[in-house]
Amino acid sequence: MSTYSATLGGRTHSFAGLARLLAAASPERSGDRLAGLAADSAQTRVAARWALAEVPLARFLAEPVIPYETDDVTRLIMDSHDAAAFAPVRGLTVGEFREWLLSDVADAPALAALAPGLTPEMVAAVSKLMGNADLVAVARKVRVVTAFRSTIGLPGRLATRLQPNHPTDDPAGVAAALLDGLLLGSGDAVIGINPATDSPQAVRDLLDLLDGVISRYSIPTQSCVLCHVTTSIDLMERGAPVDLVFQSIAGTQAANASFGVTLGLLDEAHEAARSLGRGTVGSNALYFETGQGSALSADAHHGVDQQTVEARAYAVARRYEPLLVNTVVGFIGPEYLYDGRQILRAALEDHFCGKLLGLPMGLDICYTNHADADDDDIATMLTMLGVAGASFVICTPGGDDIMLNYQSASYHDALYLREVLGLRPAPEFEAWLERIGLLDDGGGIRDVAGTGHPLTAIGRGLAA
């Protein structure tokens, strides 16, 4: 294990190993403090960043932060590394890589070609040297396009996940939230429900409900009921209408095991989902969710800071060419991201790292009710991530998820972001909105009064 050091103000700061160096260089966050990994002072943090800037990128291939022999995510990262793609930046240090990313040379084609040559630790390292504006500027240049029944990630587009959760999975309640979202132009990334129970029958009922609505109204989108991957595999074998297979993932083998997941199980799910051929404009059929702090909460972080472990989860996602990946940012709680400032920083880091690694990154811009955050933090994060080119955001009725009991963006928030930044829905979904009379002459969402619009039959039909 190498020792890294920097001298500031006559004091030499030393860091034993890359994992310790990365942790000390991280911006302040409560999760690293809880784990005993945070820098002990602002001066130590600056020294760590100074030392990190001098580390060659190639060093991350020689010194895994978690041993190759004991962790299958490390093996995946190392065994899938593309040396040819890495060649253009192989001779750079972390600091020089930051300058390269911010230069005009690092345009969209160059960043797309580079992605297979980058490891999560490399992108986590460079993010620690970047300000929030840097993270926005670079992520904005990256384009990752995926497709199933709608196309996600095209320039000038912002997709949304319509999240019609209900505390008891009541069809009428789900229908009300679903109708609300559709009438406000939401749902082009996915209509995704977190079920109140993971029982196969409950999940099947929700899948049938969503499939019926999508089929009846010819909506060019995909559905997902966010159950465990084993439930999805079982339901696919039983002929259930599964569009996207969902799974929460993390950046270490032990953390994934805490979710009941292995790479082999994800391989099986990926093969099963693609074999159904339910996509119309593409075949990206997996949906992954991540979040800083998940490995720490499972005591499976191996002494690695939470942001670096989060970036390692993106290597797992990248293996399966998913349609969607989103970080839940503030959902895990203030024990890991204490306030709006820390949540914003984490959101920008996650989006930046995921995009650099070649993923279609979206976000659940959110906070739990016991965090030091409010609706203005949501608005700030939403605006900055919109400028940064997020592929999609999660939206809930009124910004308040009554099943999971947390605060997120609303359908109206997505309309605000599209309007102020000149963004539009996914092209297939936009064409559908126009066909059913929901787009006005300026491309915005038309007001629908009373029960005259055909979509309002969704609520009446499901309630009956």
Side-chain angles (χ1 to χ4, degrees), residues 94-458:
V94 176
E96 291 168 340
F97 184 43
R98 173 187 177 273
E99 298 304 313
W100 184 89
L101 288 170
L102 290 166
S103 74
D104 292 338
V105 175
D107 57 13
L111 292 171
L114 180 63
L118 297 177
T119 69
E121 291 82 359
M122 293 176 192
V123 299
V126 75
S127 75
K128 298 175 193 296
L129 304 185
M130 305 181 88
N132 287 359
D134 297 336
L135 297 174
V136 169
V138 175
R140 183 174 176 81
K141 296 191 286 186
V142 182
R143 286 295 164 194
V144 182
V145 179
T146 57
F148 191 78
R149 293 196 193 101
S150 58
T151 305
I152 311 300
L154 292 169
R157 307 279 177 170
L158 173 73
T160 56
R161 169 181 158 188
L162 195 169
Q163 183 167 294
N165 292 348
H166 191 273
T168 63
D169 295 334
D170 175 62
V174 170
L178 176 56
L179 176 60
D180 186 23
L182 290 174
L183 290 175
L184 289 169
S186 187
D188 45 343
V190 64
I191 302 173
I193 299 178
N194 299 88
T197 171
D198 203 35
S199 77
Q201 186 58 56
V203 172
R204 176 67 185 261
D205 290 344
L206 291 171
L207 286 169
D208 288 338
L209 184 158
L210 294 180
D211 187 62
V213 170
I214 289 172
S215 299
R216 178 177 178 182
Y217 295 96
S218 302
I219 307 173
T221 190
Q222 34 285 327
S223 69
C224 185
V225 177
L226 282 66
C227 58
H228 193 268
V229 65
T230 52
T231 303
S232 292
I233 291 172
D234 177 64
L235 289 172
M236 283 188 286
E237 292 174 349
R238 297 171 182 267
V242 175
D243 289 341
L244 304 184
V245 171
F246 168 84
Q247 183 55 50
S248 295
I249 55 173
T252 71
Q253 180 176 341
N256 284 322
S258 75
F259 292 146
V261 175
T262 65
L263 297 183
L265 185 60
L266 293 176
D267 289 345
E268 180 183 352
H270 184 220
E271 182 179 351
R274 287 177 66 94
S275 71
L276 296 179
R278 292 175 60 84
T280 55
V281 296
S283 58
N284 302 109
L286 266 64
Y287 177 15
F288 292 117
E289 199 162 73
T290 68
Q292 287 194 32
S294 59
L296 175 57
S297 68
D299 194 24
H301 61 293
H302 302 286
V304 179
D305 70 271
Q306 68 181 42
Q307 189 248 334
T308 300
V309 174
E310 168 71 7
R312 283 169 56 93
Y314 305 152
V316 177
R318 181 168 62 174
R319 174 182 176 92
Y320 302 102
E321 300 180 336
L323 178 74
L324 306 168
V325 179
N326 72 254
T327 167
V328 294
V329 196
F331 182 75
I332 300 179
E335 298 83 2
Y336 307 98
L337 295 168
Y338 180 74
D339 55 17
R341 179 179 178 179
Q342 291 189 11
I343 297 170
L344 169 61
R345 175 67 192 191
L348 295 172
E349 289 170 347
D350 293 352
H351 179 255
F352 165 89
C353 290
K355 280 285 192 70
L356 274 190
L357 291 169
L359 292 177
M361 286 300 294
L363 298 101
D364 191 350
I365 298 172
C366 63
Y367 61 91
T368 57
N369 290 320
H370 63 310
D372 185 7
D374 59 24
D375 288 346
D376 287 336
D377 292 305
I378 293 282
T380 299
M381 285 186 273
L382 188 71
T383 304
M384 291 196 72
L385 269 301
V387 174
S391 294
F392 71 102
V393 294
I394 292 178
C395 298
T396 61
D400 184 4
D401 190 299
I402 59 173
M403 194 276 279
L404 293 174
N405 293 308
Y406 77 110
Q407 308 303 307
S408 185
S410 71
Y411 306 136
H412 297 84
D413 290 331
L415 291 180
Y416 145 77
L417 196 59
R418 284 174 175 163
E419 180 178 351
V420 298
L421 297 181
L423 301 172
R424 296 154 58 194
E428 300 86 357
F429 195 81
E430 183 180 46
W432 175 78
L433 289 172
E434 185 170 15
R435 286 197 304 272
I436 63 170
L438 280 179
L439 286 189
D440 62 24
D441 294 339
I445 298 299
R446 188 187 305 277
D447 286 337
V448 176
T451 59
H453 196 278
L455 280 180
T456 59
I458 293 174

Side-chain angles (χ1 to χ4, degrees), residues 63-74:
E63 187 182 333
V65 296
I66 300 174
Y68 182 94
E69 298 78 15
T70 60
D71 187 86
D72 62 4
V73 177
T74 299

